[in-house]
Amino acid sequence: MHFLALTPGSRHVGIGPRRKRPYRPRLRSSVPVLAALAAMTLVGSAAFTAGWMLRILQPERHHAPYPALITVEAEIQRTYHMGTGPVSGIAYSPDGRWLAATTSDGGVVVQQAAAGQQGNKRYTPQRTGGATGLTFNPEATTLAVGTSSGDVLLWSVPHGRQLAALGAPAGRASAITGTAFSPDGRILAAANLRGMVQLWDVSDPRSPTALATPARLDSVTDVAFDHRSATLAVGSIDGTVQLWDVSDPRHPEVLTTLESDQPVTSVGYSPDDAILAAGGSDGTTQFWNIHDLPDSRTTENVLGRPASILPAANPQASAASRSPQVPRGVGSITGLVFTSNRRIAASTAGGYVQVWDINNSRRPKLLLPPARPQAFTSLSYDTASSTLAIGAANGTVQVWAADADDDRTGPALR
């Protein structure tokens, strides 16, 4: 038996043998996803906006003992007030010069990361609704801004002039939940609540070209390119991450499907592309070792078969296949970044930031703000300054030192 997911007039990638679903724990409740309240805000570069929601099923937690958490008061270097609406997305530019944020009322703020001076503030047009997230292109010259109407706006940096507006196919518009530029800067992927992922050629951001509109059966929550611009990870609320071969972006192909046991809220590759991480609605993150994926950029793979019929890859769970469960109240993962090949930071809806090393995942740090936590909606990391920028539901962005001082650790949080 096969299932099929098609978008009108476009190529599909949602075809394959129907998989036996993994066991799911008995469901206890469902939680509305609102970026405004951040009960479950989805994905660092594209979060949800007040006024619309997505139902996420929350499983009961097992009563296994929690790991010994190191709790550390965060070192907050700066706090910026971005607007009256919740921060729905945040991003450092790849060169570390700019820090940009979107708000649920449509605001898009770009400022100098080091000086903290605001470069400009613009609002998305009324017809596009609130801004749901954003991402920089590799050259830090263009911003892709997702909106609740389903449009993606391309703006120049830092002046904020609109270069183009990318619309969804007729009848398929839905709020943008994730955007990602390929590392070579040529391709933009934009995912939405309907499960569509539009692929655009943005080599010339003033004249983008639609390439393909593959779709999944369930809402897509986040997308991420590997550093070769050859594979796209596509997370979904159905608890899976699909890896797509996008070396030919006009004809994407499914390489494999990775099973999680929670709705996936964010995805990301390690800097060396060896590890794929997927944050979940239960506050934990799963890892897969994917270094042995076929190289889809070549005309032939290791078996000598044409790249168009690449065999399904078989990523293995890494040595630390899952981050530790965290206490109640910490909340779902809302943003996920690798700060090094093996070190990860994740923001949560409960107003905390988890930091851990994959090689020592049983001793994670839980960074606590000195004041009452706000629900965190998004996360970004700047390599040059070793800082984390964290968007909050109260309309602020907090800049934290990424490496907390262990000497200030307190008793484990229970």
Side-chain angles (χ1 to χ4, degrees), residues 216-261:
R216 295 199 56 177
L217 295 178
D218 296 282
S219 296
V220 172
T221 54
D222 198 11
V223 287
F225 282 95
D226 71 354
H227 294 84
R228 303 171 303 149
S229 303
T231 305
L232 184 70
V234 183
S236 172
I237 63 166
D238 72 352
T240 66
V241 180
Q242 284 188 348
L243 301 183
W244 295 356
D245 174 11
V246 290
S247 54
D248 179 358
R250 293 184 182 275
H251 304 95
E253 300 284 349
V254 175
L255 287 171
T256 194
T257 299
L258 308 177
E259 298 279 359
S260 175
D261 56 4

Tab-separated table of all heavy atoms in Angstrom, residues 216-261:
chain	number	residue	atom	x	y	z
A	216	ARG	N	3.859	17.169	2.559
A	216	ARG	CA	3.700	16.059	3.474
A	216	ARG	C	2.236	15.976	3.876
A	216	ARG	O	1.454	16.913	3.677
A	216	ARG	CB	4.587	16.260	4.709
A	216	ARG	CG	6.079	16.247	4.376
A	216	ARG	CD	6.922	15.981	5.591
A	216	ARG	NE	6.531	14.733	6.255
A	216	ARG	CZ	7.155	14.233	7.313
A	216	ARG	NH1	8.196	14.880	7.827
A	216	ARG	NH2	6.763	13.117	7.860
A	217	LEU	N	1.847	14.849	4.465
A	217	LEU	CA	0.451	14.664	4.832
A	217	LEU	C	0.060	15.482	6.056
A	217	LEU	O	-1.105	15.828	6.232
A	217	LEU	CB	0.166	13.181	5.104
A	217	LEU	CG	0.292	12.247	3.900
A	217	LEU	CD1	0.027	10.807	4.326
A	217	LEU	CD2	-0.677	12.661	2.799
A	218	ASP	N	1.031	15.796	6.919
A	218	ASP	CA	0.760	16.547	8.138
A	218	ASP	C	1.533	17.858	8.125
A	218	ASP	O	2.451	18.052	7.336
A	218	ASP	CB	1.165	15.718	9.366
A	218	ASP	CG	0.326	14.454	9.510
A	218	ASP	OD1	-0.820	14.558	9.971
A	218	ASP	OD2	0.822	13.371	9.138
A	219	SER	N	1.150	18.752	9.035
A	219	SER	CA	1.791	20.059	9.113
A	219	SER	C	3.296	19.924	9.283
A	219	SER	O	3.776	19.120	10.086
A	219	SER	CB	1.223	20.855	10.285
A	219	SER	OG	-0.144	21.128	10.108
A	220	VAL	N	4.029	20.732	8.528
A	220	VAL	CA	5.476	20.803	8.666
A	220	VAL	C	5.802	21.902	9.669
A	220	VAL	O	5.227	22.994	9.613
A	220	VAL	CB	6.149	21.091	7.317
A	220	VAL	CG1	7.642	21.350	7.492
A	220	VAL	CG2	5.933	19.926	6.366
A	221	THR	N	6.711	21.624	10.588
A	221	THR	CA	7.027	22.563	11.657
A	221	THR	C	8.385	23.236	11.515
A	221	THR	O	8.593	24.309	12.062
A	221	THR	CB	6.990	21.846	13.015
A	221	THR	OG1	7.850	20.701	12.963
A	221	THR	CG2	5.573	21.393	13.349
A	222	ASP	N	9.307	22.614	10.790
A	222	ASP	CA	10.627	23.217	10.621
A	222	ASP	C	11.349	22.554	9.466
A	222	ASP	O	11.074	21.394	9.127
A	222	ASP	CB	11.457	23.068	11.900
A	222	ASP	CG	12.635	24.035	11.944
A	222	ASP	OD1	12.696	24.939	11.101
A	222	ASP	OD2	13.497	23.879	12.829
A	223	VAL	N	12.267	23.306	8.862
A	223	VAL	CA	13.100	22.790	7.777
A	223	VAL	C	14.532	23.244	8.009
A	223	VAL	O	14.778	24.313	8.575
A	223	VAL	CB	12.615	23.271	6.391
A	223	VAL	CG1	11.332	22.572	5.983
A	223	VAL	CG2	12.430	24.788	6.364
A	224	ALA	N	15.497	22.423	7.571
A	224	ALA	CA	16.913	22.766	7.722
A	224	ALA	C	17.714	22.100	6.622
A	224	ALA	O	17.541	20.908	6.349
A	224	ALA	CB	17.432	22.329	9.095
A	225	PHE	N	18.596	22.861	5.977
A	225	PHE	CA	19.516	22.323	4.980
A	225	PHE	C	20.784	21.817	5.662
A	225	PHE	O	21.235	22.383	6.667
A	225	PHE	CB	19.935	23.410	3.988
A	225	PHE	CG	18.922	23.727	2.931
A	225	PHE	CD1	18.030	24.778	3.097
A	225	PHE	CD2	18.872	22.995	1.754
A	225	PHE	CE1	17.101	25.099	2.119
A	225	PHE	CE2	17.948	23.295	0.762
A	225	PHE	CZ	17.056	24.342	0.942
A	226	ASP	N	21.372	20.748	5.093
A	226	ASP	CA	22.711	20.384	5.518
A	226	ASP	C	23.687	21.383	4.903
A	226	ASP	O	23.308	22.236	4.083
A	226	ASP	CB	23.045	18.938	5.149
A	226	ASP	CG	23.253	18.718	3.649
A	226	ASP	OD1	23.022	19.658	2.853
A	226	ASP	OD2	23.627	17.599	3.275
A	227	HIS	N	24.950	21.301	5.292
A	227	HIS	CA	25.907	22.322	4.882
A	227	HIS	C	26.419	22.128	3.468
A	227	HIS	O	27.179	22.950	2.956
A	227	HIS	CB	27.063	22.376	5.888
A	227	HIS	CG	26.626	22.838	7.235
A	227	HIS	ND1	26.075	21.976	8.172
A	227	HIS	CD2	26.611	24.062	7.809
A	227	HIS	CE1	25.749	22.655	9.258
A	227	HIS	NE2	26.064	23.910	9.078
A	228	ARG	N	26.012	21.053	2.803
A	228	ARG	CA	26.356	20.844	1.393
A	228	ARG	C	25.278	21.373	0.462
A	228	ARG	O	25.428	21.324	-0.750
A	228	ARG	CB	26.562	19.355	1.122
A	228	ARG	CG	27.619	18.677	1.982
A	228	ARG	CD	27.552	17.170	1.772
A	228	ARG	NE	26.220	16.655	2.068
A	228	ARG	CZ	25.666	15.602	1.482
A	228	ARG	NH1	26.311	14.959	0.536
A	228	ARG	NH2	24.465	15.200	1.835
A	229	SER	N	24.154	21.840	1.034
A	229	SER	CA	22.993	22.286	0.250
A	229	SER	C	22.390	21.143	-0.550
A	229	SER	O	21.717	21.368	-1.560
A	229	SER	CB	23.367	23.437	-0.704
A	229	SER	OG	23.922	24.523	-0.005
A	230	ALA	N	22.607	19.910	-0.106
A	230	ALA	CA	22.158	18.743	-0.858
A	230	ALA	C	20.982	18.022	-0.211
A	230	ALA	O	20.246	17.310	-0.892
A	230	ALA	CB	23.305	17.756	-1.038
A	231	THR	N	20.797	18.178	1.106
A	231	THR	CA	19.746	17.463	1.821
A	231	THR	C	18.949	18.438	2.663
A	231	THR	O	19.520	19.337	3.292
A	231	THR	CB	20.345	16.375	2.734
A	231	THR	OG1	21.166	15.505	1.947
A	231	THR	CG2	19.252	15.553	3.402
A	232	LEU	N	17.629	18.263	2.684
A	232	LEU	CA	16.734	19.094	3.483
A	232	LEU	C	16.043	18.217	4.505
A	232	LEU	O	15.429	17.204	4.157
A	232	LEU	CB	15.690	19.775	2.599
A	232	LEU	CG	14.740	20.757	3.289
A	232	LEU	CD1	15.494	22.023	3.703
A	232	LEU	CD2	13.570	21.114	2.363
A	233	ALA	N	16.156	18.586	5.786
A	233	ALA	CA	15.424	17.898	6.847
A	233	ALA	C	14.093	18.590	7.040
A	233	ALA	O	14.031	19.817	7.138
A	233	ALA	CB	16.223	17.921	8.146
A	234	VAL	N	13.012	17.796	7.082
A	234	VAL	CA	11.647	18.333	7.138
A	234	VAL	C	10.940	17.709	8.327
A	234	VAL	O	10.579	16.526	8.308
A	234	VAL	CB	10.888	18.030	5.830
A	234	VAL	CG1	9.503	18.653	5.868
A	234	VAL	CG2	11.670	18.537	4.628
A	235	GLY	N	10.737	18.490	9.403
A	235	GLY	CA	10.071	17.990	10.599
A	235	GLY	C	8.576	18.186	10.543
A	235	GLY	O	8.077	19.118	9.895
A	236	SER	N	7.826	17.315	11.230
A	236	SER	CA	6.370	17.356	11.163
A	236	SER	C	5.753	17.045	12.524
A	236	SER	O	6.371	16.393	13.377
A	236	SER	CB	5.862	16.340	10.127
A	236	SER	OG	4.451	16.223	10.163
A	237	ILE	N	4.509	17.472	12.690
A	237	ILE	CA	3.797	17.163	13.929
A	237	ILE	C	3.433	15.688	14.015
A	237	ILE	O	2.991	15.228	15.072
A	237	ILE	CB	2.521	18.007	14.086
A	237	ILE	CG1	1.521	17.717	12.966
A	237	ILE	CG2	2.842	19.478	14.163
A	237	ILE	CD1	0.136	18.247	13.245
A	238	ASP	N	3.626	14.920	12.937
A	238	ASP	CA	3.323	13.493	13.012
A	238	ASP	C	4.426	12.709	13.718
A	238	ASP	O	4.344	11.486	13.838
A	238	ASP	CB	3.043	12.910	11.628
A	238	ASP	CG	4.307	12.789	10.759
A	238	ASP	OD1	5.368	13.304	11.168
A	238	ASP	OD2	4.210	12.188	9.676
A	239	GLY	N	5.457	13.407	14.207
A	239	GLY	CA	6.516	12.737	14.941
A	239	GLY	C	7.599	12.150	14.068
A	239	GLY	O	8.314	11.251	14.488
A	240	THR	N	7.758	12.648	12.849
A	240	THR	CA	8.805	12.151	11.954
A	240	THR	C	9.611	13.311	11.382
A	240	THR	O	9.155	14.458	11.337
A	240	THR	CB	8.228	11.336	10.781
A	240	THR	OG1	7.453	12.199	9.934
A	240	THR	CG2	7.365	10.183	11.276
A	241	VAL	N	10.815	12.969	10.932
A	241	VAL	CA	11.645	13.886	10.155
A	241	VAL	C	11.993	13.177	8.859
A	241	VAL	O	12.576	12.091	8.879
A	241	VAL	CB	12.946	14.263	10.895
A	241	VAL	CG1	13.771	15.217	10.041
A	241	VAL	CG2	12.646	14.887	12.251
A	242	GLN	N	11.609	13.766	7.742
A	242	GLN	CA	12.007	13.223	6.447
A	242	GLN	C	13.267	13.932	5.970
A	242	GLN	O	13.423	15.142	6.155
A	242	GLN	CB	10.903	13.403	5.408
A	242	GLN	CG	9.746	12.441	5.564
A	242	GLN	CD	8.765	12.522	4.395
A	242	GLN	OE1	8.822	13.436	3.578
A	242	GLN	NE2	7.856	11.554	4.326
A	243	LEU	N	14.171	13.180	5.351
A	243	LEU	CA	15.347	13.742	4.707
A	243	LEU	C	15.131	13.688	3.202
A	243	LEU	O	14.910	12.607	2.645
A	243	LEU	CB	16.604	12.974	5.102
A	243	LEU	CG	16.927	12.934	6.601
A	243	LEU	CD1	18.253	12.206	6.834
A	243	LEU	CD2	16.960	14.324	7.197
A	244	TRP	N	15.160	14.853	2.592
A	244	TRP	CA	14.922	14.958	1.151
A	244	TRP	C	16.229	15.258	0.427
A	244	TRP	O	17.012	16.115	0.850
A	244	TRP	CB	13.941	16.086	0.835
A	244	TRP	CG	12.553	15.890	1.357
A	244	TRP	CD1	12.056	14.795	1.999
A	244	TRP	CD2	11.486	16.842	1.285
A	244	TRP	NE1	10.737	14.996	2.326
A	244	TRP	CE2	10.358	16.238	1.909
A	244	TRP	CE3	11.364	18.127	0.769
A	244	TRP	CZ2	9.128	16.887	2.024
A	244	TRP	CZ3	10.143	18.784	0.879
A	244	TRP	CH2	9.045	18.162	1.489
A	245	ASP	N	16.442	14.564	-0.686
A	245	ASP	CA	17.539	14.884	-1.587
A	245	ASP	C	17.093	16.071	-2.442
A	245	ASP	O	16.167	15.954	-3.245
A	245	ASP	CB	17.851	13.668	-2.470
A	245	ASP	CG	18.879	13.977	-3.537
A	245	ASP	OD1	19.509	15.052	-3.485
A	245	ASP	OD2	19.049	13.139	-4.445
A	246	VAL	N	17.739	17.226	-2.249
A	246	VAL	CA	17.383	18.429	-3.003
A	246	VAL	C	18.562	18.899	-3.849
A	246	VAL	O	18.658	20.083	-4.173
A	246	VAL	CB	16.894	19.552	-2.066
A	246	VAL	CG1	15.544	19.221	-1.469
A	246	VAL	CG2	17.919	19.832	-0.966
A	247	SER	N	19.456	17.974	-4.196
A	247	SER	CA	20.563	18.348	-5.076
A	247	SER	C	20.038	18.825	-6.425
A	247	SER	O	20.653	19.665	-7.072
A	247	SER	CB	21.525	17.185	-5.262
A	247	SER	OG	20.836	16.026	-5.715
A	248	ASP	N	18.895	18.289	-6.850
A	248	ASP	CA	18.138	18.843	-7.978
A	248	ASP	C	16.850	19.394	-7.384
A	248	ASP	O	15.879	18.653	-7.195
A	248	ASP	CB	17.834	17.774	-9.017
A	248	ASP	CG	17.020	18.323	-10.189
A	248	ASP	OD1	16.667	19.526	-10.165
A	248	ASP	OD2	16.704	17.548	-11.107
A	249	PRO	N	16.810	20.680	-7.028
A	249	PRO	CA	15.656	21.220	-6.302
A	249	PRO	C	14.349	21.205	-7.082
A	249	PRO	O	13.283	21.388	-6.493
A	249	PRO	CB	16.088	22.646	-5.961
A	249	PRO	CG	17.129	22.987	-6.967
A	249	PRO	CD	17.832	21.703	-7.273
A	250	ARG	N	14.415	20.982	-8.395
A	250	ARG	CA	13.177	20.859	-9.161
A	250	ARG	C	12.551	19.479	-9.003
A	250	ARG	O	11.371	19.289	-9.316
A	250	ARG	CB	13.449	21.135	-10.652
A	250	ARG	CG	13.843	22.577	-10.947
A	250	ARG	CD	13.996	22.810	-12.432
A	250	ARG	NE	14.422	24.163	-12.729
A	250	ARG	CZ	13.614	25.207	-12.847
A	250	ARG	NH1	12.300	25.033	-12.710
A	250	ARG	NH2	14.087	26.407	-13.113
A	251	HIS	N	13.352	18.517	-8.531
A	251	HIS	CA	12.866	17.152	-8.388
A	251	HIS	C	13.333	16.568	-7.057
A	251	HIS	O	14.186	15.678	-7.032
A	251	HIS	CB	13.347	16.276	-9.559
A	251	HIS	CG	12.957	16.812	-10.903
A	251	HIS	ND1	13.807	17.608	-11.641
A	251	HIS	CD2	11.820	16.680	-11.612
A	251	HIS	CE1	13.197	17.944	-12.775
A	251	HIS	NE2	11.994	17.387	-12.785
A	252	PRO	N	12.824	17.076	-5.941
A	252	PRO	CA	13.232	16.527	-4.642
A	252	PRO	C	12.776	15.091	-4.469
A	252	PRO	O	11.726	14.694	-4.983
A	252	PRO	CB	12.539	17.460	-3.637
A	252	PRO	CG	11.396	18.051	-4.397
A	252	PRO	CD	11.832	18.153	-5.823
A	253	GLU	N	13.588	14.311	-3.774
A	253	GLU	CA	13.289	12.901	-3.537
A	253	GLU	C	13.467	12.589	-2.052
A	253	GLU	O	14.376	13.114	-1.400
A	253	GLU	CB	14.213	11.995	-4.358
A	253	GLU	CG	14.133	12.184	-5.863
A	253	GLU	CD	12.891	11.564	-6.479
A	253	GLU	OE1	12.211	10.810	-5.752
A	253	GLU	OE2	12.610	11.838	-7.659
A	254	VAL	N	12.624	11.709	-1.522
A	254	VAL	CA	12.755	11.288	-0.135
A	254	VAL	C	13.896	10.290	-0.010
A	254	VAL	O	13.914	9.271	-0.697
A	254	VAL	CB	11.448	10.649	0.376
A	254	VAL	CG1	11.652	10.111	1.797
A	254	VAL	CG2	10.312	11.658	0.362
A	255	LEU	N	14.873	10.596	0.849
A	255	LEU	CA	15.944	9.655	1.148
A	255	LEU	C	15.524	8.665	2.215
A	255	LEU	O	15.714	7.463	2.081
A	255	LEU	CB	17.195	10.405	1.618
A	255	LEU	CG	17.994	11.165	0.561
A	255	LEU	CD1	19.054	12.025	1.223
A	255	LEU	CD2	18.626	10.204	-0.423
A	256	THR	N	14.955	9.186	3.303
A	256	THR	CA	14.567	8.318	4.409
A	256	THR	C	13.634	9.077	5.341
A	256	THR	O	13.519	10.307	5.262
A	256	THR	CB	15.800	7.817	5.187
A	256	THR	OG1	15.434	6.737	6.035
A	256	THR	CG2	16.408	8.922	6.026
A	257	THR	N	12.977	8.353	6.228
A	257	THR	CA	12.098	8.940	7.244
A	257	THR	C	12.554	8.467	8.615
A	257	THR	O	12.677	7.265	8.853
A	257	THR	CB	10.628	8.535	7.013
A	257	THR	OG1	10.211	9.019	5.731
A	257	THR	CG2	9.727	9.133	8.100
A	258	LEU	N	12.822	9.413	9.493
A	258	LEU	CA	13.268	9.121	10.848
A	258	LEU	C	12.083	9.222	11.797
A	258	LEU	O	11.341	10.200	11.767
A	258	LEU	CB	14.358	10.106	11.272
A	258	LEU	CG	15.542	10.245	10.313
A	258	LEU	CD1	16.510	11.307	10.811
A	258	LEU	CD2	16.244	8.915	10.131
A	259	GLU	N	11.919	8.226	12.629
A	259	GLU	CA	10.783	8.161	13.536
A	259	GLU	C	11.140	8.744	14.900
A	259	GLU	O	12.156	8.396	15.499
A	259	GLU	CB	10.332	6.700	13.722
A	259	GLU	CG	9.860	6.030	12.446
A	259	GLU	CD	8.419	6.383	12.100
A	259	GLU	OE1	7.791	7.133	12.881
A	259	GLU	OE2	7.928	5.902	11.065
A	260	SER	N	10.286	9.628	15.376
A	260	SER	CA	10.365	10.128	16.745
A	260	SER	C	9.092	9.687	17.451
A	260	SER	O	8.164	9.177	16.827
A	260	SER	CB	10.495	11.654	16.756
A	260	SER	OG	10.458	12.164	18.065
A	261	ASP	N	9.035	9.837	18.764
A	261	ASP	CA	7.822	9.459	19.476
A	261	ASP	C	7.087	10.686	20.010
A	261	ASP	O	6.225	10.579	20.862
A	261	ASP	CB	8.124	8.480	20.617
A	261	ASP	CG	9.141	9.030	21.599
A	261	ASP	OD1	9.545	10.198	21.429
A	261	ASP	OD2	9.529	8.299	22.517
